[in-house]
Amino acid sequence: MLSADDSGRCSKRSKDDKTWKPLSLLEDQNVFSSVLQFSGCCWKNLRATSKHFQSAVDSLLKLLVVRPGASKSTILLLLGHAPEISTLVLDGVDAVDNEVLMKVITKCYNLTYLSVAYCQNFDASVFRAKPDKLKVNIHGCWKLLSPHPTMSPLTVIENQLLAFKASAKGACEEGVEKVLAYMSPSRKSLLKGVFSPVLQSKFQPLSSYQSFCIRRLNLSSRLMPEAGVAFLVTVNSGERVQSFVWLLSIERSFSSLTGCWLTDLIHPVDQPADSL
């Protein structure tokens, strides 16, 4: 049985008498580990129990998930208290940059899994120092990703949508280039029209959306390229909802892109999504 005394330390009662004796966390790791697991995400509260608790809690922390709004200083502070961490999730955290990732890679010696999905403020050079045992999830990091045979049609569309949005947020040229990188070479000239002043109003929702939804369509073979797939992409800007049909097929002509899913056509549609 555990109890906290006035000093904030845990104690346990001896079987032979009714007195309470101090519980040494370092000597009874099994007991403390159970307390930590039972407490779940109450890491901060447990650390505040006492100074004796802090080092024990920190040494048992293996998984850390950081909220998207966390600052760089907060992330670095957390890492300083997690010497044994093996899994770190930084998905969507804007503060993640080369400096933060370099600290993570070089200071978290036991780290085996790092997720930086949808983080955009770092480049691939930071991973040159990555140890072989560390696996990194870069899903949604459109700047780092390029067409690849293992990339699904859904991921191709998502990367293009992220690049479209970036093209309106100060990364115009880079965003446009990445959108075009996922376009079928034989049809790339068609997509370039998306960025022309004449068609800009029709495709503007692709760069100003707040959320998007992707749904697979079943279209007749006469409307589809050979071995192609179609998706309905609906973007919501808060004031306007617009749908687009996305046609993709596997590239077979260009050797450097052979086997990759690429976009053949992006076309705005007026009818409601339920009618397709």
Side-chain angles (χ1 to χ4, degrees):
M1 182 176 180
L2 297 178
S3 175
D5 59 21
D6 294 336
S7 66
R9 296 182 61 186
C10 270
S11 304
K12 65 179 178 180
R13 179 172 292 183
S14 170
K15 293 182 179 180
D16 300 329
D17 55 50
K18 297 182 179 181
T19 61
W20 292 93
K21 296 182 179 180
L23 171 63
S24 173
L25 299 178
L26 299 180
E27 295 177 0
D28 205 339
Q29 285 291 317
N30 290 333
V31 174
F32 186 71
S33 179
S34 298
V35 174
L36 185 61
Q37 291 175 11
F38 177 77
S39 301
C41 62
C42 299
W43 173 51
K44 181 178 179 181
N45 294 335
L46 282 172
R47 293 187 82 255
T49 303
S50 71
K51 291 184 177 180
H52 195 63
F53 258 59
Q54 289 182 10
S55 59
V57 171
D58 292 348
S59 66
L60 290 172
L61 184 65
K62 304 297 183 183
L63 166 65
L64 182 61
V65 179
V66 180
R67 293 180 179 179
S71 65
K72 179 188 293 189
S73 59
T74 298
I75 298 172
L76 296 177
L77 179 63
L78 289 172
L79 293 177
H81 292 299
E84 302 297 326
I85 190 171
S86 61
T87 300
L88 177 61
V89 179
L90 297 169
D91 294 353
V93 181
D94 290 335
V96 173
D97 57 13
N98 282 13
E99 180 186 355
V100 170
L101 290 182
M102 186 57 67
K103 290 281 187 181
V104 170
I105 292 173
T106 58
K107 300 298 182 182
C108 299
Y109 304 109
N110 296 312
L111 195 66
T112 57
Y113 180 79
L114 170 65
S115 182
V116 288
Y118 300 101
C119 296
Q120 312 296 350
N121 298 319
F122 65 92
D123 56 62
S125 64
V126 72
F127 294 122
R128 293 172 184 169
K130 183 184 78 68
D132 293 337
K133 69 176 182 179
L134 178 59
K135 294 183 178 180
V136 182
N137 173 28
I138 57 173
H139 182 84
C141 301
W142 63 269
K143 293 181 182 180
L144 304 184
L145 299 171
S146 298
H148 192 275
T150 61
M151 188 176 291
S152 70
L154 278 173
T155 302
V156 169
I157 296 174
E158 185 178 27
N159 287 339
Q160 285 188 301
L161 285 170
L162 293 171
F164 263 121
K165 191 166 187 176
S167 67
K169 286 188 173 182
C172 182
E173 184 175 348
E174 188 176 10
V176 170
E177 289 180 356
K178 187 61 69 172
V179 170
L180 294 175
Y182 289 98
M183 191 65 182
S184 173
S186 61
R187 297 173 179 264
K188 189 171 293 187
S189 59
L190 297 177
L191 189 58
K192 287 182 178 179
V194 171
F195 304 102
S196 69
V198 178
L199 297 178
Q200 194 171 15
S201 60
K202 288 187 177 181
F203 291 92
Q204 189 271 339
L206 291 175
S207 59
S208 61
Y209 63 84
Q210 295 178 0
S211 62
F212 61 81
C213 176
I214 304 174
R215 180 164 65 88
R216 177 78 177 265
L217 294 177
N218 293 317
L219 300 182
S220 61
S221 58
R222 64 183 179 83
L223 297 176
M224 293 292 300
E226 184 180 356
V229 292
F231 291 85
L232 183 72
V233 178
T234 303
V235 294
N236 188 341
S237 64
E239 299 179 353
R240 177 183 177 185
V241 177
Q242 177 68 52
S243 295
F244 296 83
V245 170
W246 233 272
L247 303 182
L248 303 93
S249 62
I250 296 177
E251 179 60 36
R252 304 185 187 281
S253 301
F254 281 70
S255 58
S256 61
L257 297 172
T258 299
C260 298
W261 282 101
L262 298 175
T263 298
D264 291 309
L265 182 66
I266 300 174
H267 192 274
V269 292
D270 297 326
Q271 58 264 51
D274 293 339
S275 66
L276 292 175

